[in-house]
Every structure is written in C-alpha cells, then in structure tokens.
Amino acid sequence: MSNLFLGLWRIVTFPFHAIYNLFPKFFNGLWRIVSFPFRLVFNILAFPFRMLQSFNRFLNTEPEEHPISEVFIDLTTNKDTRQMMWDQVEALRMHILRALLSLILTVGVSFLFTQKIINFLAQPVGGIDKLIAIEVTETISVFMKVALFFRHCTGDTLYCIRALAVRRAGITPT
C-alpha cells in the first residue's frame, strides 16, 4: 500500500522536480524571498533566548585545570604546553571579565538604591532636608560614598566567588 502511494507521489511530483532541476538558483532565491518574513520573525523571537544561552554559557564555562609545576617544567620544551599556558591566560582573562561584569552590575544596582539609603540614614536627624552641605561638591561625594559602600557590601560576595574560582583553577591537581 505504501509503495502505491510512493509511486503515485513520484508521478505527481515529477514535473515539479524536473522544473526545479532546470532552474535551481531561481527557485532557491524564490524560496528565500517567500520564507524571509517567517525567518525574520523566528530570529527576532529566538534572539533573547540565544543571548541568555550564550550569557549562561559564558558565566558557567570552567577551563581545563593543569598543575602549575607541570606547566613550568614543560613550558620551554613543549609547544602544546605553551598553547596550554595561553589557554590559561585566556581563562584568567575570562574570570577578570566576569568580575568586571559583576562590578558593573553591583555598581548599577547600588546607584538605584542610593537615594533611598541616604533618606534612611538621614531619618535620625529629621530627614534629608535637615542636612547641610558645607562644600559645593559634598552632596555628590556623599552620594558616591554611600553608593560605593553599598556596592562594597553587596558586591563582595560575587568578587569572593570569582577569586575562589580563579584560585581553585590554579591549585587543583588533575
């Protein structure tokens, strides 16, 4: 029964295959033009998920680990070891970049909450209106100090995790 349908399908589609084989570039171009809106919508919808996936992969990729003594002994004699050393430098670079991203994130978050923190800290003296600035730039410097101290309190956890990841990668034997 399936052979009957397969044979019938080949008979029905033979003229279309023959025309396609005569003008494949034309039909491929026509297909790209017809399917462009659908591919565009799909890529627009898939873009945030692809970015989240690549960002997740960026944050969670751990490099290969090698003992440091082996690296120093083989560094001058083995080309593969020199390549491995550059891979380690690349891994360190990625850890530093992740730490920088966490710094930017925590500073941004601290700037969002700094005014609320200053209002909370000024409550014992009667509110922010009762505070007096002695110098012209004192209000800016106080805002920056509060923001950076808040970042220091909230962001050090991320820095410690990054520092331990770098240290663990350098001292863990394979």
Side-chain angles (χ1 to χ4, degrees), residues 73-144:
I73 292 171
D74 293 338
L75 192 58
T76 57
T77 60
N78 193 349
K79 184 178 179 181
D80 293 334
T81 306
R82 283 192 293 269
Q83 180 62 38
M84 181 182 64
M85 183 65 178
W86 284 114
D87 291 341
Q88 292 293 327
V89 170
E90 184 69 24
L92 177 64
R93 193 176 128 245
M94 295 306 284
H95 281 291
I96 291 171
L97 186 60
R98 290 176 189 154
L100 182 65
L101 286 175
S102 66
L103 170 73
I104 292 169
L105 178 72
T106 55
V107 166
V109 169
S110 70
F111 279 139
L112 291 175
F113 294 106
T114 300
Q115 191 61 44
K116 293 178 183 177
I117 294 171
I118 290 175
N119 290 337
F120 176 76
L121 292 174
Q123 281 180 352
V125 295
I128 200 165
D129 297 331
K130 301 286 184 178
L131 297 177
I132 300 172
I134 298 172
E135 297 177 13
V136 176
T137 60
E138 188 173 12
T139 56
I140 296 171
S141 65
V142 167
F143 184 86
M144 293 299 288

Side-chain angles (χ1 to χ4, degrees), residues 31-45:
W31 176 252
R32 290 182 58 83
I33 291 170
V34 169
S35 65
F36 175 75
F38 301 104
R39 287 184 287 124
L40 180 67
V41 168
F42 173 76
N43 286 329
I44 289 172
L45 293 175

